[in-house]
Amino acid sequence: MFLSRLSLTGFRNHSNTELELRPGLTLFQGQNGHGKSNLLEAAYMLAIAKSARSSHERELVSWSLAETGGHMQVLGVGREGDTTVQAQIDVDITAPASPKSNPGFRKGLRVNGIKRSAIDFVGNLNIVFFEADDLEIIHGSPGRRRRYLDILISQSDTYYLKSLQRYSQVVTQRNQLLRRVREGVSEENELEFWDERLAYEGARVTDSRRRAVDGLNDHAVPAHRELTDGDKLELEYRPRITAAADDRPKVGEMNAEMIEAEMKKTLTAIRRREIAQGVTVIGPHRDDLEIRLNDNPAGNFASRGQSRTIALSLKLAEAVFVKQSTGRTPVLALDDILSELDPKRRRLVLEASTKHEQVLLTSTEPGIVPDDYLETADIYTVMNGRVTQDAIASASPSANSDD
């Protein structure tokens, strides 16, 4: 699959950007703060229905639209053989009624012109996105690693996203009930229904994550080996289906039904503890993904360069996982991946990434991409939200945006 068109209207500092893209390597170059990363962020939104960098639409629209109202749109067309898919995100902005009030935002999603829910929108286009914040997969909280797994699986399995949403609703309802039982407002036996639902939905989420980590191990470990001088990468899924974190059954040997049974047994055993705390203490919302480098926790021992290589290895493995799950080769969107790497490592990264059908790459440093890769690349310069194609790009036609 490749992204053949990317159209942005009122998105961050891109007032009106239209790009026709080709398979192969596309390089967006320019200084920081001019809109290169925004292009990749927008493309990734078309895969996951929201921004990976912002939690609210107000942070995505241009300043003028936030002040006066109007319309923001991110539109992309993906091609896979004879199949074409158009994904579109629209946000209507209502100007604030007074200087002290906030603008209103109404978001809509469409696939091939038909309105879709977020669940039905995700995964119609497949894009794997690397950004600097992905180092938090290694150094950040368990929640950051859970989010990484959830986005990875959701791109290739719409049932997983539904299970995850149902599970989150069950946890919310169950926590409220636990607090009511603690306060004497509700009866303890009312928890039995929610225990059943928590174990059922939680087991499906846990089983999907287990299989995803197995797939990542199959591909991230050899990818990391190729990008390094033999550093040893290990990934271990650490589900919380028992009360003690260090007393974990081997979920690799369990199916969803076995995981469900284990969770039910644990919930019965720890009921008094959960009532006292007023929260659900086991389940996928407490999972973690352990990442080790040379037998040590990568979050504590990996340098920034090593962490960048680990994150890229995970992304390359993610691309293989998505392809195997969907049959479609995802687009690679790599934001400033080459910085902080030595020339040898840069070439290894380019060699590995350009095996994919389409790579969207950003860079702030002129000359960081070797000339032999530039010979067949489409090259764009981004300045103040204006995107222009460089004359040294490939001679094949590719539309130019001068907005």
Side-chain angles (χ1 to χ4, degrees):
M1 173 199 248
F2 72 97
L3 196 63
S4 64
R5 181 188 174 200
L6 182 62
S7 173
L8 310 181
T9 302
F11 178 77
R12 294 198 184 271
N13 67 336
H14 288 271
S15 59
N16 184 26
T17 294
E18 294 280 346
L19 292 172
E20 300 292 331
L21 302 169
R22 301 186 307 158
L25 176 63
T26 298
L27 173 63
F28 298 103
Q29 58 187 8
Q31 298 301 309
N32 287 326
H34 285 265
K36 303 184 308 301
S37 299
N38 297 343
L39 294 170
L40 271 56
E41 175 190 16
Y44 192 46
M45 286 176 61
L46 297 170
I48 66 171
K50 59 184 179 181
S51 169
R53 299 163 58 193
S54 300
S55 58
H56 196 279
E57 281 73 30
R58 71 168 62 91
E59 301 172 11
L60 304 177
V61 304
S62 65
W63 284 106
S64 60
L65 289 180
E67 292 177 352
T68 64
H71 183 76
M72 184 202 87
Q73 183 181 89
V74 176
L75 183 148
V77 176
R79 296 187 184 277
E80 176 76 17
D82 296 329
T83 303
T84 298
V85 177
Q86 178 176 293
Q88 178 179 330
I89 300 174
D90 296 287
V91 177
D92 292 313
I93 305 101
T94 304
S98 68
K100 294 184 179 180
S101 62
N102 295 318
F105 298 89
R106 187 177 62 186
K107 180 179 177 181
L109 304 171
R110 292 178 182 270
V111 177
N112 295 332
I114 301 173
K115 289 184 178 180
R116 299 290 189 186
S117 66
I119 289 178
D120 294 326
F121 184 91
V122 172
N124 282 279
L125 296 181
N126 297 118
I127 298 175
V128 173
F129 181 38
F130 173 92
E131 59 173 338
D133 283 350
D134 284 333
L135 299 187
E136 289 299 301
I137 298 174
I138 294 93
H139 297 283
S141 67
R144 182 64 181 83
R145 289 182 284 279
R146 289 194 296 269
R147 180 172 178 267
Y148 164 70
L149 290 176
D150 291 341
I151 292 175
L152 160 65
I153 304 169
S154 296
Q155 279 213 57
S156 55
D157 183 357
T158 57
Y159 293 104
Y160 175 78
L161 190 54
K162 294 176 182 177
S163 290
L164 189 64
Q165 289 186 341
R166 288 194 297 266
Y167 175 78
S168 297
Q169 292 167 357
V170 169
V171 171
T172 299
Q173 294 294 326
R174 189 172 184 275
N175 285 346
Q176 292 175 356
L177 180 57
L178 284 168
R179 289 190 287 270
R180 290 199 300 269
V181 173
R182 183 180 61 187
E183 295 163 2
V185 178
S186 297
E187 297 295 328
E188 184 176 325
N189 59 14
E190 295 180 46
L191 285 166
E192 293 177 3
F193 170 81
W194 293 107
D195 287 358
E196 294 278 344
R197 299 311 307 161
L198 185 86
Y200 179 84
E201 299 294 352
R204 273 71 196 164
V205 172
T206 298
D207 188 51
S208 293
R209 286 180 179 172
R210 173 191 63 78
R211 288 184 278 110
V213 174
D214 286 345
L216 287 175
N217 257 314
D218 289 342
H219 304 291
V221 172
H224 184 266
R225 191 183 304 119
E226 292 180 7
L227 296 175
T228 65
D229 295 323
D231 284 347
K232 180 184 177 183
L233 176 66
E234 297 173 280
L235 307 174
E236 182 182 356
Y237 178 41
R238 301 175 67 91
R240 184 65 69 86
I241 63 174
T242 56
D246 57 353
D247 182 26
R248 304 185 311 275
K250 296 181 179 180
V251 294
E253 302 172 0
M254 302 171 70
N255 58 27
E257 289 73 23
M258 295 168 69
I259 296 171
E260 180 182 355
E262 185 69 31
M263 290 184 67
K264 286 180 181 178
K265 183 174 67 174
T266 301
L267 288 170
T268 300
I270 64 172
R271 178 171 291 176
R272 300 308 304 169
R273 171 185 165 189
E274 288 191 313
I275 291 173
Q277 295 182 6
V279 293
T280 302
V281 301
I282 70 161
H285 63 294
R286 298 293 184 98
D287 289 353
D288 199 358
L289 172 64
E290 184 174 299
I291 303 172
R292 294 188 295 271
L293 181 65
N294 298 326
D295 298 320
N296 294 309
N300 297 331
F301 292 94
S303 68
R304 188 171 176 85
Q306 288 173 321
S307 298
R308 186 174 286 262
T309 304
I310 293 172
L312 178 61
S313 300
L314 291 173
K315 294 295 178 176
L316 293 174
E318 180 180 340
V320 176
F321 180 87
V322 171
K323 181 179 180 180
Q324 291 182 339
S325 301
T326 66
R328 300 188 298 266
T329 302
V331 176
L332 281 185
L334 307 177
D335 188 22
D336 199 26
I337 182 63
L338 300 180
S339 66
E340 303 181 31
L341 298 179
D342 58 56
K344 178 183 177 182
R345 191 68 54 84
R346 291 173 190 165
R347 184 168 286 278
L348 289 172
V349 166
L350 287 168
E351 181 180 346
S353 58
T354 52
K355 292 177 182 177
H356 294 77
E357 185 172 7
Q358 186 181 51
V359 180
L360 309 179
L361 176 69
T362 69
S363 176
T364 58
E365 303 176 42
I368 197 171
V369 178
D371 290 344
D372 52 325
Y373 284 95
L374 295 179
E375 290 174 358
T376 56
D378 287 330
I379 306 171
Y380 294 86
T381 295
V382 184
M383 182 176 294
N384 295 323
R386 297 165 59 91
V387 186
T388 55
Q389 188 169 13
D390 290 16
I392 61 173
S394 175
S396 296
S398 180
N400 171 37
S401 172
D402 186 11
D403 45 270

